[in-house]
Amino acid sequence: CVSYHAAASGDYSVASGMPVFTMRTENGLGPHGYYGIPRVDVPGVKVSAHHAGQLVDAIPLAGAAAFPDRHDPVVDANSRLVRRFWPDRLDPEPFLTQRCFYSATPDSDYILGPLPDRPRTLVAGGGSGHAFKMGPAIGEALADLALGLDPPFDVAPFAPSRPALLQSPPGTTVPTPLTCK
């Protein structure tokens, strides 16, 4: 979930110079801290506790609530952050909340590179909620790999064959490879 917090004082917009931010501080939901975006098109600062959340099946998502309860654990964590770092500057109670769904890998890293049994098939995914900011770099690496060139950074840590992707979280199974004819 993300929440939007109105400014009690000051202009917390891109135009005023407020940056996009990440904070590696305890959020009570996992080890990944928080992220936020200054006011752009919604009249408030976007804040969210970054975490992997629960495993969901894509099919029932169509009926999922787009606007979570104001007392969702993530919204509560967001309010705690605002109270701690922006007291008297941002309203700790959000005026808008939204539910977010994204793909996440068990180790929170991207999937980027050739499939182990099909070296001419390249994949990119598992952005764990932050791939949109890295789109140009991911695209450049994929293009270089497709052309047989060295990518601009080491893609080995993001290999589809890494051990973290081959282990199932409790209660799930790793999908078997599809057979293409």
Side-chain angles (χ1 to χ4, degrees), residues 47-139:
V47 176
S48 187
H50 184 60
H51 71 110
Q54 66 187 33
L55 295 174
V56 295
D57 186 340
I59 303 303
L61 290 181
F67 301 99
D69 179 2
R70 299 276 183 191
H71 298 289
D72 178 277
V74 179
V75 175
D76 290 343
N78 299 345
S79 292
R80 283 193 304 273
L81 178 84
V82 170
R83 277 189 202 91
R84 180 176 173 192
F85 289 97
W86 295 285
D88 305 322
R89 295 192 175 169
L90 295 178
D91 186 348
E93 292 305 314
F95 64 85
L96 174 65
T97 61
Q98 294 175 318
R99 189 169 309 281
C100 295
F101 294 101
Y102 56 78
S103 62
T105 61
D107 59 3
S108 297
D109 268 329
Y110 304 107
I111 301 170
L112 179 60
L115 291 176
D117 58 342
R118 296 181 182 264
R120 293 181 53 194
T121 302
L122 300 173
V123 295
S128 301
H130 52 266
F132 73 95
K133 336 179 251 254
M134 303 300 179
I138 292 169

